[in-house]
Amino acid sequence: MDAQGRGRADDVDPADQWVLNPRTGEYELRLSPSAPESSVPGPRTAGPRASGRRTTAPGREVPPQRRRRAEPEAPVPGRRGRRPEKKKSRGKRVLLWTGGSMAFVVLVAGVGGYVYLKHLEGNVSTTDVGTAGSSSFKKDEAFNILIIGTDKRTGEGNEGYGDKGSAGHADTNILLHVAKDRSNATALSIPRDLIVDIPDCETVQEDGTKKVVPGSQGVRFNQSLGDLGRDAGCTMRTVKAVTGIQPHHFMMADFNAVKTLTTAVDGVDVCVEHAVDDPKSHLELPAGESTVEGEQALAFVRTRHAFGNEGDLDRIKVQQQFLGSLMRKMSSSDTLTSPTKLVKLAEAATKALTVDKAIGKVGTLKDIALELKKVPTKNITFTTVPVIDNPAEKVKATVVVNEAKGPQVFDMIKNDISFTEVEQKQKKEKAAVAARLKGEKSEPGEVRVRVMNGGAPTGSAQQELAYLQTQAGVTKSENAGNAPADVAKTTLEYAPDQADQARALAEILGLSGAAMKPGESVTNAQGLPAMTLTLGKDFKGAGVKLDGSVKKPDLDTESTADQKLCAS
């Protein structure tokens, strides 16, 4: 409470009740035992001063709350909320997603308080996408969330954006992949004008009945939502058909999300190389840096005529820069240590948000938030599906997947490979474990190894064997079939006198010191001692190193969330 006194228990502002839980390292909303469990923070009113100890039951006393020292600054209308102390180390590591559809999951972990979280949950709309996504969220696995921004006009002041009467098409689309070890994430933008085949999709009607919407061939990606009654599940199925990547969940927001979120954080910093005066979007900005919020922020991300070639691909680049700036603003200490801003942000995000039913519960959203907090912003990569102009068009208006680059990008995401250089776990291994990699190495032709499948997809042992023999020069290798039991991690067991062979194979496969298991040799088909390579569930494919060091294609659009860029 402030120095002016303590109000009635039912007038306590939740913003004054944020405290640091030393066990979890999280700020939590803690109301006094006698305060009612109001689900929505209400206005504060002054009350008479109280002293001594309060009682909540006969014979039970509760220590009085500490009083805040008066603020030295000039007073402002109303009372000031109590600000928790900054947490330097964790504040820098917090990941907050892009746009309204990505902000909420992290906010629920920041604001805490079960009652208030239930209130936020009530703000969120849900859609049953059936088998298009996962039935639950799994904390110990990589996950993909499809972020959809629709062009549906809702709310006041949005008449100048989107198509009048639109059912809400998939206007802005980002497939967010979060790595299993939470060391990195990739935000893959999917152009709305990408030509795709939309598959048949089953939708759940309001009365609970199911209806199959027939697919369409050779149409724009944005038609995967809204047309013919297609829901977000249809968009998820289309992503799977185009990229081979399975979206597990979706989050969808409309124009209002950008306006309300940027206002909640007091604006987002943007930069433009040249002054902008776009009469169609009403965007006016001077050259250099500016702060935009509300209507101006929406105009910034919606304009197609102020930057580049005035096309959707150039707009995607600008949106990625904007979203990176929004993430930095949300994760700044000024936002994270302000209960008032967090509450405003949570309210704004949830009211603009629609998600699949599997993640619509408060507990699930908080689980997602806690996992996302582990990802450093410097390892969040923004990129776009590699495309080329549609060769079937004389007047270029749409694009198709670049078959020379697209499949490799999709495979990297499917195989959980980072687009940025991330700290490998090997660097954290103890010296004795890391030392297994140091020393002389045999020539590949001298390495004898038997390959077993211990949890990788069927056929992996034979595929890896083919790679070793034809491309890596490990000709003295053989397929030993399935391992006695499945294992999570790929391992290489070898005898002490095979250490030089083990180091050579570890270099070829990208094995860490922890994956090398000193033990015994086995006898191969020629009756000679050999090592045993057991492919685990972490196996990413023949020729793909276990440490993820694979050469990615040159991409025209790529940036990370920590970069400050200027739109041009």
Side-chain angles (χ1 to χ4, degrees):
M1 302 301 293
D2 58 26
Q4 298 176 5
R6 183 183 299 110
R8 301 192 316 272
D10 57 352
D11 289 331
V12 174
D13 187 342
D16 278 348
Q17 305 299 314
W18 299 110
V19 295
L20 178 64
N21 186 332
R23 294 179 301 164
T24 64
E26 301 292 336
Y27 287 104
E28 296 181 357
L29 176 62
R30 294 184 179 175
L31 301 178
S32 62
S34 60
E37 294 186 347
S38 174
S39 62
V40 185
R44 303 180 62 193
T45 57
R49 297 188 62 173
S51 60
R53 305 174 70 89
R54 294 181 291 110
T55 60
T56 58
R60 182 180 179 186
E61 292 186 335
V62 179
Q65 297 178 349
R66 295 181 181 178
R67 297 182 180 177
R68 270 181 47 200
R69 292 180 295 178
E71 297 288 343
E73 296 85 6
V76 296
R79 297 184 180 178
R80 296 174 60 89
R82 181 176 181 177
R83 299 182 64 184
E85 295 180 359
K86 291 183 179 180
K87 299 197 303 174
K88 297 181 180 178
S89 60
R90 291 186 64 85
K92 293 180 180 179
R93 296 176 54 226
V94 174
L95 166 66
L96 289 167
W97 285 3
T98 59
S101 53
M102 288 185 279
F104 173 53
V105 290
V106 177
L107 289 170
V108 295
V111 296
Y114 180 78
V115 174
Y116 184 61
L117 293 182
K118 291 297 290 183
H119 158 70
L120 293 179
E121 182 180 301
N123 289 345
V124 180
S125 300
T126 60
T127 297
D128 186 351
V129 297
T131 59
S134 297
S135 59
S136 62
F137 173 73
K138 299 179 180 179
K139 295 188 289 185
D140 58 347
E141 295 182 0
F143 60 90
N144 305 314
I145 298 184
L146 180 62
I147 312 301
I148 306 172
T150 75
D151 60 1
K152 187 174 183 179
R153 294 181 180 181
T154 59
E156 297 181 1
N158 293 326
E159 293 80 7
Y161 303 99
D163 299 326
K164 185 176 181 180
S166 171
H169 296 111
D171 192 60
T172 299
N173 311 278
I174 297 176
L175 181 62
L176 179 70
H177 169 78
V178 180
K180 181 176 181 178
D181 63 4
R182 310 304 186 237
S183 66
N184 67 92
T186 301
L188 179 70
S189 291
I190 304 173
R192 71 173 193 173
D193 295 328
L194 178 68
I195 295 300
V196 300
D197 291 338
I198 300 175
D200 296 345
C201 60
E202 184 179 80
T203 61
V204 181
Q205 306 299 300
E206 292 185 0
D207 60 1
T209 61
K210 296 180 179 179
K211 174 185 176 181
V212 175
V213 180
S216 301
Q217 285 70 48
V219 298
R220 282 177 165 87
F221 181 88
N222 68 342
Q223 293 179 235
S224 64
L225 179 70
D227 275 15
L228 305 178
R230 294 187 176 109
D231 61 13
C234 298
T235 310
M236 297 170 71
R237 295 180 192 275
T238 303
V239 170
K240 175 68 179 297
V242 174
T243 67
I245 303 168
Q246 173 65 64
H248 301 117
H249 308 285
F250 86 89
M251 292 185 172
M252 182 167 62
D254 56 26
F255 293 147
N256 284 326
V258 175
K259 295 165 64 173
T260 55
L261 281 170
T262 54
T263 300
V265 297
D266 296 334
V268 173
D269 297 330
V270 298
C271 179
V272 294
E273 290 188 1
H274 308 287
V276 175
D277 185 1
D278 179 16
K280 294 188 177 181
S281 66
H282 307 294
L283 177 65
E284 296 182 14
L285 288 176
E289 297 184 355
S290 300
T291 301
V292 297
E293 65 176 276
E295 191 72 30
Q296 194 178 32
L298 179 57
F300 184 83
V301 299
R302 289 293 305 164
T303 180
R304 296 184 63 167
H305 305 283
F307 308 110
N309 296 322
E310 302 186 7
D312 189 51
L313 295 179
D314 290 300
R315 184 175 66 166
I316 286 175
K317 296 178 185 178
V318 173
Q319 289 174 343
Q320 291 173 344
Q321 294 169 15
F322 174 85
L323 296 176
S325 180
L326 178 59
M327 291 169 65
R328 293 191 296 273
K329 185 63 177 285
M330 287 180 174
S331 61
S332 68
S333 59
D334 181 60
T335 300
L336 294 175
T337 58
S338 171
T340 301
K341 283 186 179 180
L342 285 174
V343 169
K344 287 170 60 180
L345 200 51
E347 293 286 349
T350 54
K351 288 177 181 178
L353 189 65
T354 300
V355 303
D356 58 287
K357 284 196 172 184
I359 60 173
K361 297 298 182 182
V362 62
T364 306
L365 288 167
K366 188 168 185 178
D367 286 343
I368 294 176
L370 295 175
E371 294 306 308
L372 289 171
K373 287 176 66 176
K374 301 174 183 178
V375 184
T377 54
K378 68 178 181 179
N379 289 334
I380 304 171
T381 300
F382 288 106
T383 190
T384 305
V385 171
V387 297
I388 58 174
D389 289 333
N390 187 351
E393 295 177 334
K394 292 183 178 180
V395 178
K396 304 304 181 185
T398 61
V399 294
V400 296
V401 173
N402 183 338
E403 294 299 335
K405 297 182 178 181
Q408 188 171 351
V409 170
F410 304 151
D411 285 344
M412 288 180 68
I413 294 175
K414 283 191 294 184
N415 292 321
D416 203 22
I417 298 174
S418 175
F419 282 69
T420 59
E421 294 293 334
V422 297
E423 182 180 10
Q424 301 299 325
K425 292 183 178 179
Q426 176 187 325
K427 295 180 180 180
K428 300 179 181 179
E429 292 177 348
K430 294 181 180 179
V433 175
R436 297 172 187 170
L437 297 172
K438 298 178 181 179
E440 295 183 1
K441 301 180 182 67
S442 299
E443 292 297 323
E446 298 302 319
V447 174
R448 293 189 298 271
V449 61
R450 302 174 76 238
V451 183
M452 305 185 74
N453 191 334
T458 302
S460 294
Q462 185 59 38
Q463 293 168 12
E464 184 73 343
L465 179 65
Y467 166 76
L468 290 174
Q469 292 182 343
T470 62
Q471 298 187 49
V474 184
T475 56
K476 298 178 180 178
S477 52
E478 62 185 49
N479 189 340
N482 293 327
D486 287 353
V487 294
K489 300 290 185 180
T490 297
T491 60
L492 175 63
E493 184 176 0
Y494 59 97
D497 60 353
Q498 296 172 316
D500 53 349
Q501 296 183 44
R503 286 189 286 267
L505 191 59
E507 183 176 55
I508 293 172
L509 301 179
L511 297 178
S512 67
M516 300 173 66
K517 303 295 183 183
E520 299 178 354
S521 63
V522 293
T523 302
N524 65 9
Q526 289 72 41
L528 299 174
M531 302 180 294
T532 301
L533 174 66
T534 304
L535 305 179
K537 295 179 180 179
D538 61 340
F539 179 70
K540 295 180 172 64
V544 179
K545 293 190 176 184
L546 270 297
D547 60 8
S549 56
V550 61
K551 180 176 174 56
K552 66 181 179 182
D554 293 329
L555 301 175
D556 298 328
T557 57
E558 183 178 345
S559 62
T560 54
D562 63 329
Q563 293 178 313
K564 296 181 180 180
L565 304 174
C566 289
S568 60

